[in-house]
Amino acid sequence: MKAVMSLALIGSLLLTGTAVAQDGDEIEGAIEYRQAALSTLGWNFGPLGAMAKGDMDYDAEEAAMRADRVKQLSVMPWEGFVEGSLQGNGHGVETDALAKIGDDWQGFEDKQRKMQEEAAKLAEVAANGDFAALREQVAATGKSCKNCHDDYREEE
Amino acid sequence: MKAVMSLALIGSLLLTGTAVAQDGDEIEGAIEYRQAALSTLGWNFGPLGAMAKGDMDYDAEEAAMRADRVKQLSVMPWEGFVEGSLQGNGHGVETDALAKIGDDWQGFEDKQRKMQEEAAKLAEVAANGDFAALREQVAATGKSCKNCHDDYREEE
């Protein structure tokens, strides 16, 4: 418990540019956290993608609820990208986070920000109940996820 | 993607009492989702617990942010408890969710609700910036997590 807490603190320090040495358990915890947060995000985005594609009937209430969660979750994963937690950092945890992130931190942050903006807009649009607008914003949000994955995540 | 979406739908149907048959992939996805959502929740509760115990300096802004996330996350994991996803259901995924949940669904839902109420109150209290009140509500929220774990989760 204690390790997790101090890690969260260290994570937020790191995100503001202060590099702090991590021990192995903290790095492992941070990787698992970001993976959990991103999975939770993906699950909640799922029904929106399905509605947009016509694989699920449009349900305005469900869409608004999912979009709200996507917005909430969009800010959570990033503190898990602590120093020493990328591929090739010798932490021994499986991660798809390419070492390249460390050389292009600014670009990585820009893509996080873009996704958060799209997710915030998604929540707004979904609350309005206009399906055509929702479909467009689901695509824009999905694209902002993909843009980051294309550059910084190992291909599956 | 499609499996995940229809599962989310089925999950919400189940929570309103409609039993729907699940295939193995959907059950596995639901278990992984609830575990991810609960991990994300636990991570964000961490700093609040640390502040309450004096292991981390009280930071009103951080506390309010974490409490808000805990409130948001408190409603998310439950759709992952779909039929056939408990211990002994033969799905082959590791889960701490005791089979007992299936025999006591009402009790399980009551404890979910209690936790959500405590988390909502936590967000309110944290926003007020009164540390003594926060400490009390962190304890109450932690207790509501523990109450459910004591009854329905395998002991570690």
Side-chain angles (χ1 to χ4, degrees), chain A residues 56-124:
Chain A
M56 184 188 283
D57 287 345
Y58 173 57
D59 175 332
E61 200 181 329
E62 165 97 5
M65 179 272 276
R66 296 293 173 189
D68 217 40
R69 290 187 182 181
V70 167
K71 176 189 170 185
Q72 292 165 350
L73 290 159
S74 71
V75 301
M76 296 190 197
W78 316 114
E79 68 185 274
F81 288 89
V82 295
E83 201 175 351
S85 71
L86 304 175
Q87 282 192 349
N89 285 152
H91 44 69
V93 187
E94 233 180 282
T95 172
D96 291 330
L98 297 176
K100 178 184 170 184
I101 292 171
D103 305 323
D104 187 21
W105 189 254
Q106 187 57 53
F108 184 55
E109 283 195 324
D110 288 347
K111 289 194 165 61
Q112 291 167 26
R113 201 173 303 116
K114 175 70 174 164
M115 191 277 269
Q116 289 167 35
E117 287 166 8
E118 297 293 6
K121 198 173 161 199
L122 180 69
E124 262 180 56

Side-chain angles (χ1 to χ4, degrees), chain B residues 64-139:
Chain B
M65 181 272 277
R66 296 292 173 190
D68 217 38
R69 290 188 182 182
V70 167
K71 177 188 170 185
Q72 291 165 350
L73 289 159
S74 71
V75 300
M76 298 191 196
W78 316 114
E79 67 184 277
F81 288 88
V82 296
E83 201 176 350
S85 71
L86 305 176
Q87 282 191 350
N89 285 151
H91 44 69
V93 187
E94 232 179 282
T95 172
D96 292 330
L98 297 175
K100 179 184 170 185
I101 292 171
D103 305 322
D104 187 20
W105 190 256
Q106 189 57 55
F108 184 54
E109 283 196 324
D110 288 347
K111 288 193 164 60
Q112 292 168 25
R113 200 171 306 115
K114 176 70 175 166
M115 191 277 271
Q116 289 167 35
E117 288 166 8
E118 297 292 7
K121 198 172 161 200
L122 180 67
E124 261 180 58
V125 167
N128 290 338
D130 173 346
F131 179 60
L134 176 69
R135 199 164 44 183
E136 216 167 286
Q137 191 52 32
V138 167

Side-chain angles (χ1 to χ4, degrees), chain B residues 15-32:
Chain B
L15 287 179
T16 57
T18 315
V20 179
Q22 309 282 320
D23 77 22
D25 283 355
E26 287 176 340
I27 291 171
E28 187 171 331
I31 296 172
E32 286 168 356

Side-chain angles (χ1 to χ4, degrees), chain A residues 5 7 43 46 50 69 79, chain B residues 5 7 43 46 50 66 69 79:
Chain A
M5 290 150 197
L7 205 244
W43 172 278
R69 290 187 182 181
E79 68 185 274
Chain B
M5 290 149 197
L7 204 244
W43 172 279
R66 296 292 173 190
R69 290 188 182 182
E79 67 184 277

